Amino acid sequence: RLTLRRILERHGYTVLEARHGGDALRVWETRAPEIALVLTDVRMPEMGGHELAESLRAAEARVPLLFMSGYADAVPGNGTRYLEKPFSAHALLTAVRELIDTSSRGA
């Protein structure tokens, strides 16, 4: 998390950090208007990325989701954006920018 945070902040993004999906939901509840993208690992303790995505969708949160994982069997389907670990800073920044840009155009 620290490495990703540093990369993103170095490139001008504000990062709201959570240890797992449950923490991420609590952050969402208090800071949703500030959140342009949710970057989540697929596998986390307490609540994984898939469960987080389901909870956000149930809350009708319209926020782009970017999944990451080092496990090939954890790749989400249905056109979800996914980064396979390990990935480069360039790949991370490209995916983040594309998702935010696409979302801001209302696509």
Side-chain angles (χ1 to χ4, degrees):
R1 285 194 327 250
L2 180 60
T3 301
L4 296 178
R5 178 184 195 117
R6 286 180 178 163
I7 291 167
L8 292 167
E9 287 179 342
R10 240 183 270 135
H11 287 85
Y13 295 101
T14 299
V15 177
L16 304 174
E17 194 171 341
R19 295 174 309 201
H20 51 72
D23 280 351
L25 285 177
R26 285 187 282 282
V27 171
W28 177 263
E29 290 169 359
T30 60
R31 314 265 310 257
E34 301 169 55
I35 300 172
L37 171 89
V38 173
L39 170 62
T40 182
D41 204 317
V42 173
R43 294 189 181 174
M44 298 180 289
E46 295 188 37
M47 177 189 284
H50 294 295
E51 294 86 3
L52 171 60
E54 288 173 14
S55 295
L56 289 171
R57 287 184 189 117
E60 296 186 21
R62 299 186 195 277
V63 63
L65 292 163
L66 176 57
F67 289 91
M68 60 184 167
S69 182
Y71 300 94
D73 65 335
V75 177
N78 68 9
T80 302
R81 191 66 191 260
Y82 168 76
L83 288 172
E84 183 177 356
K85 293 180 188 177
F87 49 82
S88 67
H90 177 74
L92 170 66
L93 293 166
T94 298
V96 166
R97 184 78 266 146
E98 287 175 357
L99 282 168
I100 289 173
D101 287 350
T102 300
S103 174
S104 68
R105 288 192 301 264

